[in-house]
Amino acid sequence: MEDCYAETVSTQVEAIRAGGIVLSETVFYPEGGGQPADQGVINVGGTSIQVTDVSVDHGEILHHVESTDPITEGDDVDARIDWERRHMLMRMHTAQHLLSAVVLDMFDAKTVGNQIHPSYSRIDFEPVNFSQKDLDRIERRCNALIEEERSVSIYEEDRETVVEKLPVGRSNLDLIPDHIDPLRVVEIEGLDICPCGGTHVSNLDEIGRFIIEDRKSKGEDIDRIEFSLDA
Ligand SMILES: [Zn+2]
């Protein structure tokens, strides 16, 4: 994603596949890194075709549709994402990075899993057992950082430099194939850097209020935090 705030693009249909449509350019985010795929529409002539899912298939971004009719290869189209849903996912994904960084900082516990949804998200941490008091402290810390209006930037950097800069335990770089270099990095000003391909808001203040909804034990030393956001 070059520009996380692009809602629409005028482009051409590059190919029609069994599973959907490939465009020359797109603003749709395919599922990955715990962030769900975008939804939206592809407009051709006067017809709107609903995009229900987006995936990467053999290196191509495939827009899943119920029927490709009346689209044919080479058509000029406008592709538009469901911006309200995407912006919610951007707020959630940035909140996930914030919470992961705060918990690493306060408890030395690593993020071992996460899933983002528009209405709530969750992160699994290890090794840790949170008390209610811990959760209150985490929530307060996250909201304090949001109120500081720290900026969020996305850039590419050599893998070697990222390895040197990365806080210990922040990211499982081993899971990112060696040939991916440079890496796309998401940085929260003065707090966190993390390699990530997802979409993010450009300032923490867009997250709104951060609310811890629940804590669940997912094993002896693994705790899950579920959280939501308020405008
Ligand atoms: Zn991420």
Side-chain angles (χ1 to χ4, degrees):
M1 286 280 112
E2 295 291 310
D3 174 8
C4 297
Y5 288 84
E7 295 175 47
T8 181
V9 65
S10 296
T11 184
Q12 283 85 39
V13 175
E14 195 168 286
I16 302 210
R17 305 278 182 238
I21 295 167
V22 181
L23 301 173
S24 303
E25 270 184 273
T26 192
V27 286
F28 281 80
Y29 178 78
E31 197 204 337
Q35 181 177 335
D38 284 326
Q39 296 168 0
V41 290
I42 295 174
N43 296 307
V44 58
T47 309
S48 278
I49 294 173
Q50 292 290 330
V51 177
T52 54
D53 195 10
V54 188
S55 62
V56 178
D57 188 41
H58 295 90
E60 290 180 327
I61 296 179
L62 199 61
H63 304 75
H64 299 231
V65 294
E66 256 173 42
S67 162
T68 56
D69 192 51
I71 284 185
T72 53
E73 280 181 16
D75 277 353
D76 291 322
V77 296
D78 289 314
R80 175 179 290 278
I81 56 172
D82 176 343
W83 173 250
E84 212 174 300
R85 181 173 174 279
R86 153 67 89 73
H87 190 240
M88 195 64 222
L89 291 169
M90 283 163 60
R91 291 169 61 205
M92 277 289 188
H93 197 156
T94 306
Q96 181 259 303
H97 282 218
L98 171 65
L99 177 58
S100 288
V102 162
V103 170
L104 181 66
D105 190 37
M106 291 173 72
F107 299 90
D108 232 353
K110 290 191 347 181
T111 292
V112 291
N114 75 81
Q115 183 58 51
I116 292 150
H117 301 282
S119 53
Y120 81 98
S121 301
R122 60 170 167 79
I123 309 182
D124 294 343
F125 293 102
E126 184 184 21
V128 78
N129 287 290
F130 297 116
S131 66
Q132 185 55 47
K133 215 171 151 188
D134 293 336
L135 298 176
D136 293 344
R137 281 177 61 212
I138 293 166
E139 193 179 82
R140 274 202 304 275
R141 178 78 180 129
C142 287
N143 282 310
L145 289 159
I146 289 168
E147 278 160 28
E148 285 175 18
E149 302 185 358
R150 299 204 184 202
S151 66
V152 180
S153 49
I154 300 179
Y155 53 89
E156 295 211 318
E157 192 145 70
D158 297 339
R159 193 179 178 106
E160 212 182 306
T161 313
V162 177
V163 171
E164 279 168 22
K165 280 173 43 173
L166 210 60
V168 176
R170 178 59 183 95
S171 163
N172 211 340
L173 259 183
D174 300 346
L175 297 180
I176 303 174
D178 279 341
H179 69 269
I180 299 184
D181 190 356
L183 293 169
R184 183 178 185 271
V185 176
V186 177
E187 176 166 354
I188 302 173
E189 183 190 354
L191 178 76
D192 184 47
I193 61 166
C194 185
C196 173
T199 62
H200 290 271
V201 292
S202 61
N203 191 295
L204 290 190
D205 73 342
E206 270 189 60
I207 291 175
R209 185 146 193 85
F210 174 86
I211 304 155
I212 293 182
E213 297 285 354
D214 202 7
R215 169 214 163 251
K216 287 183 181 130
S217 178
K218 299 304 284 181
E220 204 182 328
D221 285 324
I222 302 177
D223 265 16
R224 171 171 294 178
I225 291 180
E226 291 183 357
F227 63 93
S228 66
L229 305 176
D230 216 342

